Amino acid sequence: MNPAPGAAGVTINPDRLLSDLRRLREFGACGVGVVRQSLSPIDVESRHWLCERMRDAGLEARIDGVGTVLGRSRNPGPAILLGSHTDTQPRGGWLDGAMGVIYGLEVARAVAECEATRHLAVDVASWIDEEGAFLTCLGSLTFCGELAPESARDLTDNEGKTLGEAIREAGLEGVPVMRREPGRYAGYAEAHIEQGPWLEHQGKRVGAVTGIVGSRNFVIEFKGQQNHAGTTPMALRRDAGHALVELAHRVYDTFPEHAGERSVWTIGRIALDPGVQSIVPGRAEMHLQFRDQDVAVLDRLEAQARALVAEAGARGRAEVHMTEFGKRSLPAIMDERLRGHIERAAERHAPGDWIPMPSAAIHDAQVLSRHMPAAMMFVPSIGGISHAFEEDTSEEDLVLGCQVFATAAANMLLD
Amino acid sequence: MNPAPGAAGVTINPDRLLSDLRRLREFGACGVGVVRQSLSPIDVESRHWLCERMRDAGLEARIDGVGTVLGRSRNPGPAILLGSHTDTQPRGGWLDGAMGVIYGLEVARAVAECEATRHLAVDVASWIDEEGAFLTCLGSLTFCGELAPESARDLTDNEGKTLGEAIREAGLEGVPVMRREPGRYAGYAEAHIEQGPWLEHQGKRVGAVTGIVGSRNFVIEFKGQQNHAGTTPMALRRDAGHALVELAHRVYDTFPEHAGERSVWTIGRIALDPGVQSIVPGRAEMHLQFRDQDVAVLDRLEAQARALVAEAGARGRAEVHMTEFGKRSLPAIMDERLRGHIERAAERHAPGDWIPMPSAAIHDAQVLSRHMPAAMMFVPSIGGISHAFEEDTSEEDLVLGCQVFATAAANMLLD
């Protein structure tokens, strides 16, 4: 394939890129990892810092009424919107979404410094709560008008704090929530670490994302009879924990028959009530999540989960109920034209060292793709590790990825 | 059999008994249940109230350096020691151990009011922490000299508070810990609700306990690799939660082959780390407890648990380690002579309505039985429910049980 034409002069500044990434890492640093959940005090602090850096880059920057940061170019559109998220998981890695936001910032600076491109409009966003402390992709959903901010105020985090309280504590009470400006955007591009092992396994350095998997989350609740762990004969027990373990075992046992080649399923949370060694649990709860690129496969896995719930209920150890929670994320196909620019830029800066690949993780690009052409680019994750403190990417890959992203972004507007 | 002779005049006061039980219930009342864990502020408050009631009954009462309440008769020995515990489970019933303590108090009063028995020495105890917020049977272990109080100061409750801190907050810092007075005690008797369904199922109203089962508690820890729930292919996962579920399933599946007729086993606690739906758990932990009257059966169940741990480790999903925690409770046989007094008193007040039976629950009597003759008496639990808010016993059974206990206790000293 022919490498990317034009925009030859757009050159990123590796030291500036890496120093901003390292500075952002300090907000919520915990060993080599980062704890910076949406709207926590340290997250809010980092958003004010980000606004400052955007202003230094010549952007009009502000934090909106849910916490999303948008840095707007002073140039007229059509604009390219570059973004990702700077919030983290409860025990998150330092790059994850933060890398894509700082890539956007660096690209905006590089484009503005280049004779051939300084007239282009590059907007940069850090969407609030992509990790779902309150609601997965909250910021991109409100920006695109898929979610009315008021309707989300009562959502709670794991500590039971409501989004409304968090917004008030962040000093954002009454601040307007930004909405996509009709007609301004030629498209959206998001860079992210792969969060998986494929690039590393194949010895590649850039991934041009073809599509993003959809996911569904369910809570399964078990109601039995709490009782004394010594005096209640095994035959007379209605042990909610036993019912949960047997259902979880059946999930691990039977899902492979119903799954697609790249389907994944996870039981990420189990809780027994009251949860002490000398009491037969009267209640129990588990979270079940599964992901696939194909809605038909997601439907099949959901049907199997419901069949197992019915089976567990019929066994009579406990009443069993399954309820979907969070926002169901739909599979998304990336825009052909924008993806072509990422592929050509990758071929130009890393000839032969890139591959087209799907994204197995949820990203804000899924939401944006329903409202404008959208594309995503991946850089390798060392050991495929992410959503963990150990998550990392080599400096060489961080720098190369940003240069590819800069060239691609400029060409999305020039071409 | 011949009903109990002598002590004819020892007659309990039903209204006084029930009103003290109801007053004690108010400390930590939560609906029909009670939340009064060892050394919590409300538990400490109830201990001061109990001391007052003991003093009203003519006993020398005090709270010792770990929280145990002892009401000592002013009469010379030999004395009978009557006791149980007033602390509760995190979500406990109103009777459980509280009934046995108030029985002791009422018996001390009834014995003192009766011409034929007022010279007898009846001491009454409320042992701290039988329910094991910090350490199961803490109070009886220190009273009997099996545990040095200093060695327990660093034990923590579920919130991570140390026993030392709890003692300080209870205002007991520096207060001496009471030790059994050599030569004073002719024996120990404990009344308790059955906590199981047997008396009710057989239409009986009193149980004369033959022996108490032993129990063992283990924590099983799993260490895998925390990772992203979307991007980590199923084949590459080291899911600590999956390893836990499979081991728990194997416990439920295989324990029946190794168990005795009345063995029980319970997985009362399961925790996944970090415990969120979008992350493959890197660590997991479960509590496994089992009980039986026969040490050989306990050894067999422990061997099976260790075999399953080895099996789970060999599967390679996680490193698996099993560690015993808490105080291993040994099966205990009740004293023939004291049990005979309970049986004769039961035959006298409830002819034909009593049975000899084992205790499937842990009791302080297990500890005391290693240091003096010990006996236990049960009253029925409605529906066999205990360690739950709904736990209850009919007033008729509460009154009858106390009268049987009073006659038996007096005869233990007279005969």
Side-chain angles (χ1 to χ4, degrees), chain B residues 83-302:
Chain B
S84 191
H85 64 95
T86 48
D87 64 308
T88 74
Q89 285 284 336
R91 294 166 54 86
W94 74 292
L95 294 170
D96 201 305
M99 186 197 78
V101 174
I102 301 302
Y103 268 23
L105 174 62
E106 178 55 26
V107 170
R109 290 184 296 218
V111 164
E113 288 164 353
C114 166
E115 190 58 54
T117 58
R118 66 164 50 106
H119 63 287
L120 300 177
V122 178
D123 294 359
V124 183
S126 171
W127 312 112
I128 193 72
D129 207 25
E130 191 269 354
E131 298 291 10
F134 297 95
L135 177 66
T136 301
C137 295
L138 172 63
S140 48
L141 288 167
T142 54
F143 182 79
C144 293
E146 289 192 24
L147 178 76
E150 316 70 50
S151 68
R153 291 186 62 87
D154 295 336
L155 295 172
T156 55
D157 64 13
N158 282 343
E159 276 70 52
K161 176 186 291 187
T162 67
L163 176 61
E165 288 160 17
I167 287 172
R168 189 158 54 251
E169 291 173 12
L172 298 173
E173 188 72 54
V175 174
V177 174
M178 290 183 281
R179 288 288 299 274
R180 175 174 53 94
E181 180 181 321
R184 176 171 176 81
Y185 295 112
Y188 172 76
E190 178 166 1
H192 206 283
I193 57 168
E194 179 198 344
Q195 306 181 267
W198 298 116
L199 287 172
E200 188 177 72
H201 278 198
Q202 306 200 23
K204 304 298 186 180
R205 302 180 65 191
V206 174
V209 176
T210 54
I212 306 174
V213 302
S215 74
R216 300 182 189 179
N217 292 285
F218 298 89
V219 57
I220 305 178
E221 293 168 295
F222 303 76
K223 187 171 180 305
Q225 171 60 54
Q226 180 177 323
N227 220 324
H228 188 291
T231 58
T232 314
M234 299 310 288
L236 299 183
R237 294 186 177 203
R238 297 192 65 240
D239 184 333
H242 188 176
L244 180 148
V245 163
E246 294 308 330
L247 189 147
H249 166 68
R250 292 281 289 151
V251 166
Y252 293 124
D253 211 35
T254 66
F255 264 40
E257 307 155 24
H258 303 270
E261 198 192 335
R262 279 169 167 268
S263 303
V264 290
W265 51 94
T266 306
I267 295 169
R269 176 179 144 77
I270 295 178
L272 306 185
D273 178 59
V276 293
Q277 75 270 15
S278 55
I279 301 188
V280 177
R283 294 174 173 276
E285 178 180 295
M286 64 183 253
H287 285 178
L288 172 64
Q289 175 190 82
F290 43 82
R291 312 189 190 207
D292 196 87
Q293 308 176 68
D294 180 347
V295 171
V297 172
L298 293 171
D299 289 340
R300 237 162 43 215
L301 293 175
E302 178 171 346

Side-chain angles (χ1 to χ4, degrees), chain A residues 195 226 231 237 249 266 387, chain B residues 195 226 231 237 266 387:
Chain A
Q195 307 181 266
Q226 179 177 324
T231 57
R237 294 186 177 203
H249 166 68
T266 305
H387 282 190
Chain B
Q195 306 181 267
Q226 180 177 323
T231 58
R237 294 186 177 203
T266 306
H387 283 190

